[in-house]
Amino acid sequence: MTGSPQRPLLFLDVDGPLIPFGAAPEQYPAHATCLGPLDGDANPLLARLDPEHGPRLAALPCEVVWATTWMADANECIAPRIGLPQLAVVVWPEPSDIDDQDEWNGLHWKTRTLVDWAAGRPFVWVDDEVTDTDRAWVAAHHPANALLYRVDPRHGLTDRDYAVLDSWLRQLF
């Protein structure tokens, strides 16, 4: 008996895709969530989290993984506010000499780690900092399909973005 194939991964950044920034602050609505208002110690940008992201992400045919500097805090602060369960978290390695070379060459500091984490599985990387350099590097170093998807940080994930992600993920089956 053979096992079922693993679902593709969706590596998800928080700042930019889920918490928009870069436009005038008054352009961002404050969203109500099931958790109620933020307490005084909470990051005020959490009010920009649209609770609709949770069901939309959960409906995608993939395994969502936090790929953010929020790291485990994403499960504590973000997931409950948008209705997601605890997700796997990419733990970023300590900086190394190769990071300096990658930066010089224009490769994002997350790229190598995400390819290693994917371990040959198809993946989508949703971030506001993805570049063509990252796309070329992944194409040369990752054996499976990969979509490196750049989100406009001023708007965060939009209906169009979800349609592209859903279409790309479904074509893998």
Side-chain angles (χ1 to χ4, degrees):
M1 178 161 140
T2 60
S4 63
Q6 292 180 307
R7 293 174 10 145
L9 299 164
L10 187 148
F11 293 119
L12 183 62
D13 186 30
V14 169
D15 297 312
L18 297 181
I19 299 176
F21 65 89
E26 61 273 5
Q27 290 184 325
Y28 300 115
H31 294 280
T33 68
C34 60
L35 298 180
L38 296 170
D39 65 34
D41 294 336
N43 182 330
L45 297 180
L46 290 174
R48 294 183 184 175
L49 282 169
D50 184 343
E52 292 300 313
H53 285 306
R56 294 187 84 174
L57 289 164
L60 294 172
C62 61
E63 177 186 338
V64 180
V65 176
W66 295 119
T68 174
T69 56
W70 285 73
M71 294 181 40
D73 287 343
N75 277 326
E76 183 180 323
C77 301
I78 307 294
R81 297 195 81 77
I82 62 175
L84 287 177
Q86 298 283 299
L87 303 174
V89 177
V90 175
V91 176
W92 307 112
E94 291 297 319
S96 68
D97 292 340
I98 196 75
D99 295 326
D100 293 335
Q101 183 176 351
D102 285 348
E103 183 179 355
W104 176 260
N105 292 325
L107 191 68
H108 195 283
W109 61 270
K110 292 180 181 178
T111 307
R112 286 180 187 269
T113 301
L114 295 179
V115 168
D116 288 346
W117 212 97
R121 287 170 69 179
F123 72 86
V124 176
W125 174 18
V126 177
D127 203 306
D128 60 302
E129 297 180 344
V130 170
T131 67
D132 287 340
T133 302
D134 301 303
R135 289 181 185 97
W137 194 92
V138 170
H141 295 89
H142 185 64
N145 291 326
L147 172 64
L148 280 65
Y149 192 78
R150 188 179 186 286
V151 172
D152 184 336
R154 294 169 299 168
H155 305 289
L157 282 164
T158 65
D159 291 343
R160 180 188 173 283
D161 297 326
Y162 280 108
V164 169
L165 297 172
D166 187 64
S167 175
W168 189 87
L169 287 162
R170 290 188 189 284
Q171 62 87 25
L172 295 174
F173 298 103

